[in-house]
Amino acid sequence: MAKTTKPQSSRQPNGASSIYFGKDGRWHGRVTVGVKDDGTPDRRHIGRKTRAEVTKAVRELEKQRDSTGVRKAGQTWTVETWLTHWVENIAAPNVGENTIDGYRVAVYHHLIPGLGAHRLAKLEPEHLERFYQKMQANGSAAGTAHQAHRTVNTALNEAVRRRHLTINPASIAKAPKVEEEEVEPYSLEEVQRLLAEAAKVRNTARWVIALALGLRQGEVLGLKWEDVDFEAGVILVRRGRLRPRYKHGCGDKCGRKPGYCPQKINIRRETKDTKTRAGKRPIGVPEELLRLLKRHKEEQEREGALARDLWVEKGYVFTSPVGEPLNPNTDFHRWKDLLKAAGVRDGRLHDARHTAATVLLILGISDAVVDSIMGWEPGKSARMRRRYQHMTGPVLKQTAAKIGALLWAVPADVAEEVGSRAAVRSGPAAVDSAVYLADLGGRRLAFAIRQHAERVVAQWSEDRPGQSAQVEEMGRKHWEAGGGTQLIRHGIPDRRMVHHAHAVFLTGGERLNVGSPARWSTWAWDFEPDLYTDLPVRWHTSRRPGQEIEAHVRGTDEDAVSSAFGEACAQAVDRARNPATYGDGQS
């Protein structure tokens, strides 16, 4: 008797696709493409009129599943909703402040207005290419269009990684073509003109560092005195200045943008550490620049003494007249002013860095030393040199000596053209000359031009009848040797009366007795860091290292200063009690 075998089941194995005829008179297909978030199989449904149509659709879905993958089921994203979600919830917590600023500009100013209505899954490379062309036709630079392309490419790569897309259309689209600008470094003559002109302005050393050492803008503005080793002749670069980001301090009542609010509050940390290990580096400083930095430190100490309680000590090398770190935007405009004053062709601030790199090339400095000075991440061979050639003290000092010898050898015709005023702070190239001292009741202000000193003496005598004032002539070397290279002025100080108000509050909001008047007035020329004195009123609050909150008010309108003092004190009390609201807990 033949053995009977158990008939095989017609049931498909787990995970296999199925095709069947439904009660609705249509053919249906089910394809397993993965696993849902809850762990159950992700089965996709396909419905067609005929078996052939549904079979073809099932095979295409299986092929897509096995090659690029299938888009994740769930929310139907548009380009706008995805870009908004990506930039605020995915990118913002994981990238630097400057990077997220660039992303937000590209997303909110360009990509969403131009592409936001598209379904994310339906976005095609041609949509992007037409969008880039339209951007440029409407006046955007090729670099701006290219930045938009890089941003959307990064955002859509994340969508692919999370299976909201199967293919990134931006990786297929042709990126806008950007013509690489030919950067022309400044010539040695132009550098020497800029150095001579920089000697006439505040924060002279800031521009000398840019031209001689090639530090990036953020690296210079982020320098603190603790990073300057005068004994070893070395600057340690380890942080960069961030661009401020503001919120309203007036409760959004002023009707202006946050950056223009009179009581604006910076909600971003001031600096961040260098991005790469190569960026954190020691740099040898020429002797001429070291002497200039020492004089700059002395001048800053005098500014702090004159600013009194308005001064905020944060340890920065280059500051505003009240001790705050310099704003990168303001710094950029001072660079443009310097180019005009020196009669040098216009250029980017970053061109100073190109110039410094070219100077190193002229000097024949080795690749390893150049990589270290400029903070460049080495290539493979350069990395090996960096590994085995250590940046010892003698190497740094030798390089610094070469830079100093080249840049501070100012030709006689250049020195004569820019005038003797350039000799004030320019080191070995300086020409000894007389200074004219306005002796104002025992306090002496030094001027490069006699007529300026005489005008100040006349103004002083008019404002203070009966008090002695006279002009005295002295040799520049004698003045600097006797007074620690005191400031020599090249213009008439502001004569306006400036009114001040100041108060300090403990962390609970209680006012602290600081042992000095809460209000006083002084002539602007007595207050040497005289920026902002042309405003009717200006006020701000700040947190001391000891956690006390200070309210500072200052202006030329006494009534406005008096009125603003109440507002400043109110904000100081609120800031003392609620530090997190004002970002005081951030590093």
Side-chain angles (χ1 to χ4, degrees):
M1 180 177 174
K3 185 177 180 180
T4 59
T5 58
K6 185 178 179 180
Q8 293 183 347
S9 172
S10 61
R11 186 180 184 276
Q12 293 279 64
N14 288 338
S17 302
S18 59
I19 298 174
Y20 59 92
F21 186 72
K23 294 180 180 180
D24 59 356
R26 291 170 57 86
W27 284 89
H28 300 269
R30 299 280 179 176
V31 181
T32 302
V33 297
V35 180
K36 295 180 181 178
D37 293 338
D38 62 1
T40 59
D42 184 0
R43 298 271 290 176
R44 301 294 173 88
H45 171 260
I46 299 171
R48 297 289 188 272
K49 291 182 178 181
T50 67
R51 183 185 183 94
E53 290 175 334
V54 81
T55 300
K56 181 180 179 182
V58 166
R59 299 295 176 256
E60 288 176 351
L61 186 56
E62 289 175 335
K63 184 177 179 181
Q64 184 182 0
R65 175 197 63 191
D66 297 336
S67 56
T68 61
V70 178
R71 185 173 62 86
K72 187 177 180 181
Q75 178 177 353
T76 302
W77 296 95
T78 64
V79 171
E80 178 177 2
T81 56
W82 173 251
L83 288 178
T84 303
H85 172 75
W86 169 79
V87 77
E88 299 300 342
N89 301 311
I90 300 174
N94 295 293
V95 300
E97 288 90 337
N98 291 337
T99 302
I100 197 62
D101 281 350
Y103 283 163
R104 284 184 172 127
V105 169
V107 166
Y108 294 121
H109 291 267
H110 301 294
L111 293 168
I112 287 179
L115 297 167
H118 283 283
R119 290 272 297 273
L120 186 64
K122 300 293 185 181
L123 188 65
E124 300 288 343
E126 291 75 19
H127 295 144
L128 293 165
E129 290 163 347
R130 286 194 291 269
F131 166 69
Y132 303 146
Q133 293 172 2
K134 188 176 180 180
M135 276 187 69
Q136 293 176 264
N138 290 338
S140 293
T144 305
H146 200 273
Q147 168 66 7
H149 169 76
R150 292 198 304 271
T151 301
V152 73
N153 188 49
T154 302
L156 297 186
N157 273 338
E158 187 64 30
V160 171
R161 196 173 74 84
R162 296 175 183 235
R163 292 178 48 219
H164 300 309
L165 280 178
T166 57
I167 297 177
N168 178 1
S171 65
I172 302 171
K174 294 292 185 183
K177 187 176 181 180
V178 179
E179 296 291 341
E180 189 172 344
E181 277 190 46
E182 185 67 30
V183 177
E184 182 183 355
Y186 291 108
S187 67
L188 288 178
E189 180 186 357
E190 289 173 321
V191 170
Q192 289 161 350
R193 288 178 182 275
L194 287 167
L195 291 177
E197 193 62 38
K200 307 175 188 177
V201 301
R202 187 174 176 275
N203 286 328
T204 298
R206 184 265 175 273
W207 308 114
V208 178
I209 287 176
L211 290 161
L213 304 181
L215 269 66
R216 301 173 178 90
Q217 183 191 40
E219 293 171 342
V220 178
L221 302 189
L223 282 177
K224 293 191 174 184
W225 287 114
E226 65 192 41
D227 305 322
V228 182
D229 188 336
F230 287 105
E231 185 175 343
V234 169
I235 286 176
L236 177 60
V237 178
R238 51 185 171 185
R239 73 182 69 80
R241 174 80 167 100
L242 292 171
R243 292 185 177 275
R245 186 176 180 86
Y246 298 105
K247 73 173 184 179
H248 284 282
C250 64
D252 205 7
K253 298 176 183 176
C254 66
R256 305 177 185 177
K257 292 182 178 179
Y260 296 94
C261 174
Q263 288 86 52
K264 62 187 177 185
I265 300 170
N266 184 17
I267 57 175
R268 173 171 289 173
R269 56 180 174 163
E270 292 172 349
T271 63
K272 70 171 183 177
D273 291 342
T274 54
K275 193 161 49 176
T276 63
R277 186 171 61 179
K280 184 176 182 178
R281 63 200 187 276
I283 299 178
V285 183
E287 286 293 333
E288 295 83 355
L289 179 51
L290 280 175
R291 287 197 291 270
L292 193 59
L293 281 169
K294 289 177 181 177
R295 289 197 291 270
H296 174 72
K297 196 171 193 295
E298 292 163 358
E299 291 172 7
Q300 189 181 90
E301 289 170 353
R302 284 195 297 274
E303 283 189 347
L306 289 166
R308 296 196 287 185
D309 53 287
L310 287 180
W311 184 267
V312 181
E313 182 54 61
K314 296 185 175 181
Y316 288 99
V317 174
F318 302 109
T319 70
S320 74
V322 291
E324 294 285 355
L326 290 178
N327 187 308
N329 188 50
T330 302
D331 180 69
F332 168 78
H333 289 295
R334 295 293 80 79
W335 165 254
K336 293 295 186 179
D337 294 341
L338 183 66
L339 293 176
K340 290 179 182 177
V344 173
R345 59 187 168 82
D346 189 33
R348 306 172 308 164
L349 178 52
H350 203 68
D351 289 351
R353 181 167 166 80
H354 285 271
T355 301
T358 304
V359 168
L360 295 174
L361 179 64
I362 293 171
L363 292 171
I365 307 299
S366 71
D367 290 343
V369 179
V370 171
D371 286 348
S372 180
I373 290 175
M374 302 302 291
W376 290 329
E377 192 69 33
K380 187 173 182 180
S381 59
R383 258 198 304 271
M384 294 301 292
R385 289 195 302 269
R386 184 173 178 82
R387 180 177 179 182
Y388 292 103
Q389 295 181 341
H390 299 284
M391 295 299 296
T392 60
V395 173
L396 292 170
K397 289 189 174 182
Q398 181 183 13
T399 303
K402 290 181 179 180
I403 295 174
L406 182 68
L407 294 186
W408 271 269
V410 181
D413 59 336
V414 175
E416 181 179 356
E417 181 177 339
V418 298
S420 61
R421 292 181 297 170
V424 176
R425 308 176 189 172
S426 59
V431 180
D432 188 29
S433 60
V435 295
Y436 303 93
L437 308 179
D439 189 328
L440 311 175
R443 180 192 175 203
R444 299 192 297 179
L445 300 180
F447 291 87
I449 300 174
R450 185 181 189 93
Q451 290 87 336
H452 292 172
E454 291 173 345
R455 282 186 58 188
V456 168
V457 165
Q459 291 173 354
W460 174 272
S461 301
E462 180 183 338
D463 294 332
R464 298 168 174 81
Q467 296 191 26
S468 62
Q470 59 184 358
V471 176
E472 175 187 350
E473 183 176 337
M474 180 182 290
R476 186 184 304 274
K477 286 185 178 178
H478 181 62
W479 167 253
E480 293 183 343
T485 65
Q486 300 176 49
L487 177 66
I488 300 176
R489 296 174 175 270
H490 300 282
I492 303 295
D494 198 325
R495 192 185 177 195
R496 279 178 287 240
M497 180 68 75
V498 182
H499 307 281
H500 305 262
H502 172 251
V504 181
F505 297 86
L506 299 174
T507 52
E510 179 185 355
R511 186 162 175 173
L512 180 66
N513 183 4
V514 295
S516 61
R519 303 188 187 192
W520 70 94
S521 301
T522 184
W523 296 102
W525 66 26
D526 289 338
F527 189 69
E528 290 193 39
D530 50 8
L531 294 179
Y532 311 129
T533 54
D534 59 336
L535 296 177
V537 66
R538 179 184 180 88
W539 67 267
H540 70 280
T541 61
S542 61
R543 181 172 290 274
R544 283 181 171 182
Q547 301 304 306
E548 298 92 353
I549 300 296
E550 294 182 281
H552 309 264
V553 187
R554 177 179 171 195
T556 58
D557 186 328
E558 187 170 11
D559 292 337
V561 169
S562 178
S563 175
F565 188 41
E567 295 181 58
C569 288
Q571 185 183 100
V573 170
D574 184 61
R575 186 169 182 174
R577 294 172 177 170
N578 305 288
T581 304
Y582 295 84
D584 291 338
Q586 298 178 8
S587 59

